[in-house]
Amino acid sequence: MKLSFPSLFTSETVFDITIYIGFLIFVLALPFGYSTAFLNIGLSLVLIGWVGRTVSERKLGWQRTPLDIPIALFLALALIACLLAPHPATSSLGYFWKLLRAILLFYAVIHSRLGPRWRHVVIAFITAAGISSVLGLWYYANDTRLAIDFMGRVGLQFKEELKGADNPDLQISEDFRAELRACNVPLSENVSISSSNRFPNEWRINDPARQRRYVIRPNETHLMVYMIEQRLTGTFKMPNDLGAYLALSLPFVMGYFVVSWRRDPKQKYRIWRILGLGAVVIVMSANLVLTLTRAAWVSTTIATVFLGIYFIVIALRKLDTRYGLWKRPLLGSTIIIVLLSLSLFLVPQHIKARFQTMIEHPVGFMGERP
């Protein structure tokens, strides 16, 4: 007796669901920098579903895009650069594989055929971005997950001196100051040392006169000295990584926020959608500012400007004086511009100083990642 399965469980449907689940896992794990395994699982499911569906249908079904030729040229140049790199240890084919994975993801999106299920992927993407940004603000408020720079090493003999860190009358010895000075850590006279509440063998030095903070962590042979930067890393490992993610995702969420202002009788819970997207835009913008990643600031600003130009052009083309379909999106764009403008006057001094360096030294900062 031959078993028959309903059309719901055809091989094409199974592979489409595999792609769908892979994209959900990928976008949910994307803003969490330590979830590399989940990112790889999501990408693997997407590629397995894409290749499996192609084999099942026995046709490639390739959809050409205007970016095919530029992407091919870019990959060719990247491969040549990796093969001819003067330092293969730092410019290996592993970096080329990362570029190739990103391009494969682009074409997987083009050929995904998810249809209405893309709505779920977008919701998951925005939700994950919002959760990551809220966690980032919580970390910043609790003075955790900030960037640190390695300054140097000092001898383990000073560990006994640091054990009295909770004593308000503790004075740093001249020998300790000399070793710290050799690590390019010149301390002023009025510094305070405190032990970490989270880690028993970690100490912090606060130098308000120089507006510097340091953390000291022991290893087997030395005390490692790091300078604490007031740069948020959030759920990523580095502030530049967080800045890169926000530079790519924040304009995307802004676009949905602006469009959500459009009056559509078919939309339900429109006011809650506006409030939710607005809250996500605010917390993501705050995270972007707190990264102090200037290249990400510039990238997001340029993307926001072009986004505004796009909506203005669309509004002029589709302006309907009877229904005013595009008055609300224009209002949403205006709100974003006003909030961004006001934020320049409300940010802390160290963020204003970062902006000032962009004006005084316009050459060089764009070398940062992203």
Side-chain angles (χ1 to χ4, degrees):
M1 180 178 178
K2 186 177 180 180
L3 296 176
S4 61
F5 295 92
S7 59
L8 178 64
F9 296 101
T10 62
S11 58
E12 290 83 0
T13 303
V14 171
F15 288 127
D16 286 342
I17 293 176
T18 302
I19 295 173
Y20 171 64
I21 295 174
F23 274 123
L24 284 178
I25 294 175
F26 180 80
V27 298
L28 288 172
L30 186 60
F32 302 96
Y34 294 92
S35 56
T36 306
F38 288 99
L39 287 175
N40 291 331
I41 290 172
L43 284 175
S44 299
L45 288 176
V46 170
L47 293 178
I48 289 171
W50 183 20
V51 174
R53 188 184 63 197
T54 301
V55 173
S56 175
E57 294 178 348
R58 298 182 180 179
K59 62 178 181 179
L60 182 59
W62 186 264
Q63 298 182 24
R64 300 187 62 181
T65 71
L67 297 176
D68 290 345
I69 295 178
I71 287 175
L73 292 175
F74 173 75
L75 275 180
L77 292 174
L79 180 60
I80 294 173
C82 289
L83 294 176
L84 302 180
H87 302 287
T90 57
S91 300
S92 63
L93 290 176
Y95 289 91
F96 176 78
W97 169 239
K98 291 182 180 180
L99 297 175
L100 183 60
R101 282 193 306 176
I103 292 172
L104 288 175
L105 178 63
F106 167 76
Y107 283 108
V109 171
I110 298 296
H111 297 82
S112 61
R113 299 196 311 210
L114 292 183
R117 283 178 292 192
W118 268 115
R119 178 187 180 92
H120 306 154
V121 177
V122 171
I123 292 174
F125 178 86
I126 296 175
T127 301
I131 293 173
S132 171
S133 298
V134 170
L135 287 174
L137 294 180
W138 186 84
Y139 291 142
Y140 194 85
N142 288 273
D143 203 28
T144 58
R145 297 293 182 92
L146 300 178
I148 56 175
D149 285 337
F150 176 68
M151 305 300 292
R153 303 176 179 86
V154 297
L156 275 177
Q157 67 271 20
F158 299 107
K159 186 175 181 179
E160 294 298 325
E161 186 174 335
L162 291 171
K163 287 183 177 179
D166 295 327
N167 183 2
D169 298 326
L170 176 67
Q171 297 292 327
I172 299 178
S173 65
E174 289 300 324
D175 292 339
F176 194 10
R177 286 179 178 272
E179 288 229 16
L180 289 174
R181 197 177 300 114
C183 298
N184 198 24
V185 182
L187 298 179
S188 61
E189 291 298 326
N190 298 321
V191 298
S192 61
I193 303 178
S194 61
S195 57
S196 174
N197 295 326
R198 299 177 62 223
F199 304 102
N201 289 326
E202 181 178 291
W203 300 270
R204 292 198 174 193
I205 300 177
N206 186 25
D207 191 350
R210 297 181 181 273
Q211 297 183 349
R212 292 286 186 271
R213 294 189 302 162
Y214 305 93
V215 60
I216 299 178
R217 297 170 179 171
N219 64 7
E220 296 180 355
T221 58
H222 293 86
L223 294 175
M224 315 299 286
V225 183
Y226 303 87
M227 182 176 69
I228 301 175
E229 292 188 87
Q230 206 66 22
R231 301 181 63 190
L232 178 66
T233 62
T235 55
F236 288 81
K237 298 178 182 179
M238 299 291 292
N240 288 339
D241 297 338
L242 175 58
Y245 170 76
L246 293 172
L248 293 172
S249 58
L250 182 54
F252 177 83
V253 181
M254 282 183 179
Y256 272 93
F257 171 70
V258 172
V259 172
S260 68
W261 283 74
R262 184 174 55 182
R263 179 178 295 175
D264 187 349
K266 296 181 180 180
Q267 287 185 353
K268 296 181 179 180
Y269 312 110
R270 188 173 64 88
I271 186 64
W272 294 109
R273 186 179 295 109
I274 293 173
L275 293 176
L277 288 171
V280 173
V281 169
I282 290 173
V283 294
M284 290 180 71
S285 300
N287 275 251
L288 178 65
V289 172
L290 295 176
T291 63
L292 300 186
T293 305
R294 295 165 294 188
W297 290 350
V298 174
S299 303
T300 307
T301 301
I302 294 174
T304 304
V305 169
F306 278 97
L307 189 66
I309 293 173
Y310 169 78
F311 280 115
I312 290 174
V313 171
I314 294 297
L316 293 176
R317 287 182 177 180
K318 297 186 177 182
L319 187 62
D320 191 326
T321 56
R322 181 179 177 184
Y323 297 104
L325 294 178
W326 285 92
K327 290 182 180 179
R328 294 178 181 273
L330 285 177
L331 179 60
S333 302
T334 304
I335 290 175
I336 290 178
I337 294 173
V338 170
L339 290 177
L340 291 176
S341 301
L342 291 176
S343 65
L344 297 177
F345 301 96
L346 302 176
V347 295
Q349 182 59 38
H350 68 279
I351 298 178
K352 293 180 181 179
R354 193 75 166 178
F355 276 108
Q356 190 65 28
T357 59
M358 296 172 59
I359 300 174
E360 296 177 353
H361 305 285
V363 178
F365 74 87
M366 286 300 290
E368 294 179 350
R369 296 184 304 272

